[in-house]
Amino acid sequence: PGQPLAQATAITNVQVQAGSSIDADTLQEALRNSSFALGKYVETATKLREAEKTVVLLEREKESAKRELEKALGEHQTTEADLKSQNIEVKNLKGNLEELTQKHEKIATK
């Protein structure tokens, strides 16, 4: 269950080192454990590839969102600059209006 391939290898190595023969049942068990371990490896590798694809997609989405945010920030700064400029124009127009009103009052009082 924990590490079938390692267990099968250990059993085989002990038997070979001891000089004993390996029977068919032991070899079949080792093969089953190896197949199981290989299947788990392939399953894990597949999940890893899918996770890597997901990471790449998330990175792309992050970059796209970053670009959109930078664009929105630029638009906000442009709007803010336009508003400041318009505010200056309004102040100038107020000043001109006050000046004209004073001139008109001087003319009216003459």
Side-chain angles (χ1 to χ4, degrees):
Q3 296 180 352
L5 182 58
Q7 291 171 351
T9 303
I11 291 169
T12 304
N13 287 341
V14 167
Q15 288 177 335
V16 169
Q17 288 172 1
S20 62
S21 62
I22 302 172
D23 63 6
D25 289 341
T26 303
L27 286 176
Q28 278 187 326
E29 181 66 22
L31 183 58
R32 274 195 297 276
N33 289 338
S34 296
S35 293
F36 177 78
L38 182 58
K40 286 294 184 184
Y41 171 80
V42 169
E43 182 181 319
T44 302
T46 301
K47 287 179 182 177
L48 180 59
R49 278 193 297 275
E50 290 302 315
E52 288 170 344
K53 288 178 187 176
T54 301
V55 167
V56 168
L57 290 175
L58 290 173
E59 285 292 329
R60 287 180 187 160
E61 288 179 20
K62 175 183 155 189
E63 288 302 316
S64 177
K66 182 179 174 185
R67 284 190 299 274
E68 288 179 29
L69 183 60
E70 288 170 348
K71 180 181 174 187
L73 179 60
E75 290 172 357
H76 169 75
Q77 289 171 340
T78 300
T79 301
E80 186 177 27
D82 288 347
L83 288 174
K84 285 180 181 177
S85 175
Q86 289 173 4
N87 192 23
I88 290 170
E89 287 179 33
V90 167
K91 286 181 182 177
N92 288 340
L93 289 173
K94 277 184 173 179
N96 292 345
L97 180 61
E98 287 174 13
E99 188 180 316
L100 287 173
T101 301
Q102 288 173 0
K103 285 181 182 179
H104 177 70
E105 287 175 356
K106 283 182 184 178
I107 291 173
T109 56
K110 282 188 180 183

